[in-house]
Amino acid sequence: MNAATPITPRDATLVERSLRIDLAAAFRLAARHGWHEAVANHFSLAVSDDGKRFLMNPRWRHFSRIRASDLLLLDSADHGVMQRTDAPDPSAWCIHSQLHARVPQARCVLHVHSTYATALAALADPTLQPVDQNTARFYQRVAIDQHFGGIADSLEEGARLAAVLGRHRVLLMGNHGVL
């Protein structure tokens, strides 16, 4: 489809279904490769053009057990999300709702506390120096946030992280993990 072709409700349903399958597969791959830690990680995937409607993993579900049908469909403008019986993890909501609302080019947001990224994030200076071919690919592509204040449980913290990410593709969250 091109931009001039109107999307029918049926097409939108098929697109969402396909995105659900892809995101569920990403969770399974992350678990298979050890890029997860217990249940405190979260992925989201925008389903609307403006990025404000997105899919996200349910609270306290291990990545290896997430199915396409388990994914929550959320709207960053919905102030009642945390009152839902299936409310997402508060930290996940605070981070992902603000990222999708404020950084529309961030279509897929993966937040993990993987071993090596978290070790790098815990250094006094977590700058990834371009000293070889592997690290050079990240030169000036990683935003670094060294203002970790604990669990991101406020929308203000999510907005701050969105501002730090800006136009970068990767956010190294000091003493925390990677996004």
Side-chain angles (χ1 to χ4, degrees):
M1 282 183 228
N2 61 40
T5 305
I7 295 179
T8 67
R10 182 178 184 277
D11 292 336
T13 301
L14 292 174
V15 168
E16 181 184 321
R17 182 174 184 264
S18 177
L19 292 173
R20 282 178 174 277
I21 291 168
D22 289 348
L23 187 56
F27 285 111
R28 298 294 179 99
L29 284 170
R32 177 173 287 172
H33 291 288
W35 303 331
H36 64 295
E37 169 207 38
V39 293
N41 304 279
H42 16 91
F43 291 2
S44 61
L45 182 60
V47 298
S48 62
D49 289 339
D50 64 3
K52 293 179 181 178
R53 291 182 61 239
F54 59 95
L55 299 168
M56 190 167 64
N57 52 303
R59 176 178 28 192
W60 303 324
R61 186 80 46 91
H62 194 274
F63 278 17
S64 66
R65 303 185 65 78
I66 294 174
R67 299 171 307 194
S69 60
D70 295 329
L71 297 170
L72 304 174
L73 179 60
L74 305 170
D75 187 324
S76 63
D78 181 357
H79 301 293
V81 164
M82 294 310 297
Q83 282 68 52
R84 292 171 39 164
T85 57
D86 67 342
D89 174 79
S91 176
W93 171 250
C94 290
I95 293 172
H96 292 258
S97 70
Q98 295 304 296
L99 283 165
H100 284 292
R102 297 168 186 269
V103 188
Q105 73 273 15
R107 306 300 295 165
C108 183
V109 178
L110 312 176
H111 174 59
V112 296
H113 309 106
S114 55
T115 305
Y116 298 120
T118 302
L120 179 62
L123 296 175
D125 178 8
T127 305
L128 189 59
Q129 299 295 332
V131 297
D132 67 351
Q133 186 171 335
N134 293 321
T135 55
R137 69 185 301 201
F138 295 104
Y139 182 67
Q140 294 186 336
R141 293 182 177 183
V142 178
I144 299 174
D145 175 36
Q146 291 188 280
H147 300 288
F148 177 65
I151 294 175
D153 58 359
S154 73
L155 294 177
E156 292 79 17
E157 178 66 1
R160 188 186 70 73
L161 291 170
V164 174
L165 177 64
R167 305 267 333 147
H168 291 91
R169 296 179 66 129
V170 177
L171 174 60
L172 187 62
M173 303 163 80
N175 297 316
H176 189 150
V178 67
L179 184 136

